[in-house]
Amino acid sequence: MTSDRLTIIEIAKQAGVSRSTVSRVINDDPNVHAATRQRVRSVMQKLNFQPNAAARGLAAGKTRILGLVIPMGVAALFSDPYFPQLIQGISAACNQHDYSTMLWLAEPEYERRTIQQIVSAGMVDGVIIASALTDDAVIEAVRTHKVPFVLIGRHPVYVDITYVDVDNRVSARDAVLHLIRLGYKRVATISGPLNMIGGLDRLAGYKDALKARGIVADPNLIAEGDFSEASGYSTMQQLLPQEPDAIFVASDTMALGAMRALREAGKRIPDDVAIVGYDDMPFAARSDPPLTTVRQPIHRAGFVGAETLMELISEQDAAPRRVILPTELVIRDSCGARVMREKKMRA
Amino acid sequence: MTSDRLTIIEIAKQAGVSRSTVSRVINDDPNVHAATRQRVRSVMQKLNFQPNAAARGLAAGKTRILGLVIPMGVAALFSDPYFPQLIQGISAACNQHDYSTMLWLAEPEYERRTIQQIVSAGMVDGVIIASALTDDAVIEAVRTHKVPFVLIGRHPVYVDITYVDVDNRVSARDAVLHLIRLGYKRVATISGPLNMIGGLDRLAGYKDALKARGIVADPNLIAEGDFSEASGYSTMQQLLPQEPDAIFVASDTMALGAMRALREAGKRIPDDVAIVGYDDMPFAARSDPPLTTVRQPIHRAGFVGAETLMELISEQDAAPRRVILPTELVIRDSCGARVMREKKMRA
DNA sequence: GCTTATAATGGGAGCGTTCCCAATTCTTTC
DNA sequence: GAAAGAATTGGGAACGCTCCCATTATAAGC
């Protein structure tokens, strides 16, 4: 029974070299003769050898694993395709750079243990924190433990943190300006949760737009949702008595809910109430009517976030980075722009 | 600078015991005096000690990490809430049992490397394979390498494999029988991809139902989709000339597409064409009209799958397990059952 | 051709745990 | 109160790799 685990030593033996040389080949050390490298490689290939991850991690102090932490405070996000897209981006970057992804959904009850594990068990070389609340405990923890990390979404307070984000504020402002330009007079908004930076920034953008046009923001036209369809629905109902003629909704999922409420109230979209969403989720193009929305590159954010984290890991004392990804206002039917243009052309 | 990493030895020193005893406490070995255990525990707590994962993994040969492998052949699944729910279930089980989750989205190009890594780098103690194609290479690999694994969804060929699934066939049959009982004469189906066991089984269930009622299946009323909204849409268009009066769609996401096609064709649901979906995704209850569908417990499947895998890991030579989770036909408006009942009551 | 620099290689010493066996300390029993 | 057994504890030897330094082979320079 020679079914011992395959180790670097066996490879060394078969290739006629030492442990060290095999290790060098594995780690792409340039100080190996080309012929030797080739020989070692082919032995590894032949035996289907894969170096033991735990041993490498222990010896080198690096695991080549990135942690993805998703605080589950806002479970709503998990019921739409936001996270799948983000995860795909991260995973693609990991595959490309020979990293793996560890996933932690931080449910509140387990959070303390989880956090400890993340920061001090040495399981991961760094972590990506997605859509954290503004006062997230995980951020605090990785910060004090000096674990490399990047946020998906900027941080409202700390300025020395690396993050990947879109310009929520400016893109929201532009979306609202689009509505104003189309002639709507009472533009309302359903914001995201205001304990998340994205929610906060998009609301600020909404206000910026009004101010830019000299319009005084009416607090009755502003309501807070939680990114879920249900909240879009109920919040829209609550807003209806204020008779808005247009509404900027901080996520497509909520926009769907809002449209459902409008439909039930007998309002036509965009004729009675125009609507603009945010995200450009796959379903936005297929809703009835198709939703005008702000497209943000979620997959790309995950990809870039992971790559940025890898850079942070390899450079010690790397300076914090801020990556802002571009957005795009996708004009479909729900904002009324098309209808109006057609009318104008007919006239 | 005594900023050396905190190890078991420091804990031992401060608690006045040996390495071994600390290790015993960490691993809940009963052979430790209660008082000693207490003392060690409090020192660990005070210093916020977390044993090094790589070292444990190396020494014990166990990582307490489960791998979740999602072959990305069917990317469609990733754009609806199926995976988020599944992942949440798995993650919840892991949290509860002190495991972590490693995530691999197996993109075809990287698959070989990824597979090797999964099976022979010792990163994980076992793997969960979700929605694999029927001839998946990953399954082959974990099988020959004797890595414990469970499938989400049964395997069409191997019978000695542990899996968690719902009874796709029977539940699909019941859904179709429901339509037949309501009096529909030309019941069509949009199946899932036929290289996935779920797609296969649900189609078989459809045929079972027809046969049970002595109806000869009309191949023109059967069309294959790929679980995506777009495929639901185009497949429905293709089916329309056959003039079905009801349709069983193998996923809610496809059902959404089918409804869009029907709407565009001027068909009323359920009056002109009744429709039944599968999954009971969150959006099914809110579609227009609300979708009658087969509810399957996705979150629970993930949870149970993870727990089952943990059992497999701890018992050597465990016998394969087959877990079948219950489904439920959720009757809403799209199948016409309510409308009919109301009509009947009025009469 | 001999010295010196340089490219390749080898081997010892960890990395932080667990596991096993031996040693010690309590208990129990007669 | 001594012997035997059980409960508790300690320490050496892995686990499979990387890292550093020493050594050997090769190339370059005069």
Side-chain angles (χ1 to χ4, degrees):
Chain A
M1 295 278 276
T2 35
S3 85
D4 305 61
R5 262 175 133 300
L6 195 54
T7 82
I8 212 181
I9 296 190
E10 181 61 24
I11 305 297
K13 223 176 268 172
Q14 298 214 18
V17 296
S18 72
R19 247 169 50 256
S20 308
T21 300
V22 176
S23 173
R24 285 191 190 95
V25 172
I26 292 174
N27 294 290
D28 284 323
D29 186 317
N31 292 336
V32 179
H33 194 90
T36 312
R37 180 190 313 279
Q38 189 44 50
R39 192 150 29 95
V40 173
R41 282 249 171 82
S42 73
V43 173
M44 294 200 296
Q45 204 115 47
K46 192 180 73 188
L47 300 186
N48 243 314
F49 171 76
Q50 196 71 21
N52 180 277
R56 297 186 81 181
L58 181 56
K62 295 270 163 218
T63 57
R64 292 195 85 82
I65 297 176
L66 303 186
L68 170 57
V69 179
I70 302 179
M72 291 275 60
V74 188
L77 281 183
F78 226 77
S79 69
D80 67 30
Y82 180 87
F83 280 113
Q85 286 184 41
L86 188 73
I87 290 175
Q88 269 184 87
I90 292 171
S91 176
C94 283
N95 280 343
Q96 208 163 105
H97 297 269
D98 211 354
Y99 269 78
S100 295
T101 313
M102 186 114 233
L103 185 68
W104 282 293
L105 305 190
E107 302 177 56
E109 323 106 79
Y110 296 102
E111 222 172 324
R112 264 201 61 78
R113 189 186 67 78
T114 310
I115 291 177
Q116 266 313 306
Q117 196 171 313
I118 294 168
V119 298
S120 51
M123 277 194 158
V124 297
D125 294 344
V127 306
I128 299 177
I129 301 175
S131 67
L133 302 183
T134 49
D135 60 344
D136 201 288
V138 177
I139 298 180
E140 228 32 83
V142 292
R143 231 168 155 254
T144 62
H145 281 259
K146 309 237 177 283
V147 176
F149 71 103
V150 346
L151 258 44
I152 305 295
R154 73 181 187 91
H155 193 277
V157 179
Y158 303 133
V159 294
D160 57 340
I161 281 185
T162 294
Y163 65 78
V164 175
D165 205 351
V166 295
D167 196 330
N168 285 292
R169 185 161 181 171
V170 167
S171 55
R173 193 200 60 183
D174 290 350
V176 175
L177 281 177
H178 171 71
L179 287 170
I180 297 176
R181 267 190 222 107
L182 289 172
Y184 299 107
K185 298 299 180 201
R186 291 183 60 74
V187 182
T189 190
I190 298 176
S191 79
L194 298 179
N195 60 348
M196 292 185 68
I197 190 69
L200 234 32
D201 282 350
R202 289 173 202 171
L203 178 57
Y206 163 83
K207 290 178 178 166
D208 286 351
L210 296 186
K211 189 183 266 177
R213 290 310 187 99
I215 302 169
V216 179
D218 177 351
N220 293 319
L221 289 177
I222 299 176
E224 180 180 352
D226 67 4
F227 281 149
S228 73
E229 205 267 359
S231 84
Y233 179 77
S234 59
T235 308
M236 186 72 241
Q237 286 182 323
Q238 170 190 329
L239 239 26
L240 268 175
Q242 305 295 329
E243 305 204 324
D245 56 0
I247 182 156
F248 168 63
V249 186
S251 85
D252 286 354
T253 304
M254 289 197 295
L256 230 50
M259 286 167 82
R260 184 159 61 94
L262 288 170
R263 205 182 306 128
E264 283 185 13
K267 302 286 187 186
R268 290 164 308 158
I269 304 168
D271 312 68
D272 298 327
V273 181
I275 183 164
V276 172
Y278 202 107
D279 284 339
D280 196 25
M281 291 284 171
F283 55 77
R286 305 183 299 242
S287 65
D288 183 21
L291 188 62
T292 292
T293 186
V294 179
R295 174 178 300 163
Q296 67 165 329
I298 301 171
H299 182 285
R300 178 127 200 88
F303 194 94
V304 172
E307 286 197 325
T308 306
L309 179 55
M310 294 171 199
E311 289 171 30
L312 249 45
I313 289 168
S314 55
E315 305 164 32
Q316 66 294 42
D317 304 311
R321 289 160 167 62
R322 282 166 278 280
V323 182
I324 304 295
L325 265 20
T327 58
E328 177 190 357
L329 182 63
V330 180
I331 296 176
R332 299 203 179 92
D333 298 351
S334 69
C335 62
R338 293 194 188 181
V339 183
M340 290 184 189
R341 203 175 44 203
E342 275 164 31
K343 264 191 202 146
K344 204 177 289 175
M345 285 171 70
R346 243 177 282 139
Chain B
M1 294 282 274
T2 36
S3 83
D4 304 61
R5 263 176 132 301
L6 194 54
T7 83
I8 212 180
I9 296 191
E10 181 61 24
I11 304 296
K13 224 176 269 173
Q14 297 213 18
V17 295
S18 72
R19 242 167 55 256
S20 308
T21 301
V22 177
S23 172
R24 286 191 190 95
V25 171
I26 292 173
N27 294 290
D28 284 323
D29 185 318
N31 293 336
V32 179
H33 194 90
T36 312
R37 179 189 312 281
Q38 188 46 51
R39 193 149 30 96
V40 173
R41 282 248 171 81
S42 72
V43 172
M44 293 200 297
Q45 203 117 46
K46 193 180 72 187
L47 300 185
N48 242 315
F49 172 77
Q50 196 72 20
N52 181 278
R56 297 186 80 182
L58 180 57
K62 294 271 165 220
T63 57
R64 290 197 85 83
I65 298 176
L66 304 186
L68 170 58
V69 178
I70 303 179
M72 292 273 61
V74 188
L77 282 183
F78 226 75
S79 70
D80 68 29
Y82 179 87
F83 280 112
Q85 286 184 41
L86 188 73
I87 291 175
Q88 268 184 87
I90 293 171
S91 177
C94 283
N95 280 342
Q96 207 162 105
H97 297 268
D98 210 356
Y99 269 79
S100 296
T101 313
M102 187 112 233
L103 185 68
W104 282 293
L105 305 190
E107 303 177 55
E109 321 107 79
Y110 297 100
E111 225 172 321
R112 264 201 63 78
R113 190 186 65 78
T114 309
I115 291 176
Q116 266 313 307
Q117 194 171 314
I118 293 169
V119 298
S120 51
M123 277 194 157
V124 298
D125 294 344
V127 307
I128 299 176
I129 301 175
S131 66
L133 301 183
T134 49
D135 60 344
D136 201 288
V138 177
I139 298 180
E140 229 31 85
V142 291
R143 234 170 152 251
T144 61
H145 282 258
K146 309 237 177 283
V147 176
F149 70 102
V150 345
L151 257 45
I152 304 294
R154 74 181 186 90
H155 194 277
V157 179
Y158 303 133
V159 293
D160 58 340
I161 281 185
T162 294
Y163 65 77
V164 175
D165 204 351
V166 294
D167 195 331
N168 284 291
R169 184 161 181 171
V170 168
S171 55
R173 193 200 61 181
D174 290 350
V176 175
L177 281 177
H178 171 72
L179 286 170
I180 297 176
R181 269 192 220 105
L182 289 172
Y184 299 106
K185 299 299 180 202
R186 292 182 61 74
V187 182
T189 190
I190 298 178
S191 78
L194 298 180
N195 60 349
M196 291 184 69
I197 189 70
L200 235 31
D201 283 350
R202 289 174 203 170
L203 178 58
Y206 163 84
K207 290 179 178 167
D208 287 350
L210 296 186
K211 188 182 267 176
R213 289 311 187 96
I215 303 169
V216 178
D218 176 354
N220 293 319
L221 288 177
I222 299 176
E224 180 180 353
D226 66 5
F227 282 148
S228 72
E229 206 267 359
S231 84
Y233 177 79
S234 59
T235 310
M236 186 72 241
Q237 285 182 324
Q238 170 189 330
L239 238 27
L240 268 175
Q242 306 296 328
E243 304 204 325
D245 57 359
I247 182 156
F248 168 63
V249 186
S251 85
D252 285 354
T253 304
M254 288 197 295
L256 229 50
M259 286 167 82
R260 185 159 61 94
L262 288 170
R263 205 181 307 126
E264 282 185 14
K267 303 286 187 188
R268 288 165 308 158
I269 305 167
D271 312 69
D272 298 326
V273 182
I275 183 164
V276 172
Y278 202 106
D279 284 340
D280 195 24
M281 291 285 172
F283 55 76
R286 305 182 299 242
S287 66
D288 183 23
L291 189 63
T292 292
T293 185
V294 179
R295 174 179 300 162
Q296 66 165 329
I298 301 171
H299 182 284
R300 176 127 201 88
F303 193 95
V304 173
E307 286 197 325
T308 305
L309 179 54
M310 294 172 200
E311 289 171 30
L312 249 45
I313 289 169
S314 54
E315 305 163 34
Q316 67 294 41
D317 304 311
R321 289 160 168 62
R322 282 166 278 281
V323 182
I324 303 296
L325 266 19
T327 57
E328 178 190 356
L329 182 64
V330 181
I331 297 176
R332 299 203 179 91
D333 298 351
S334 69
C335 61
R338 292 194 189 181
V339 183
M340 289 182 189
R341 203 175 45 203
E342 276 163 31
K343 264 190 203 145
K344 203 177 289 175
M345 284 171 70
R346 243 178 280 142

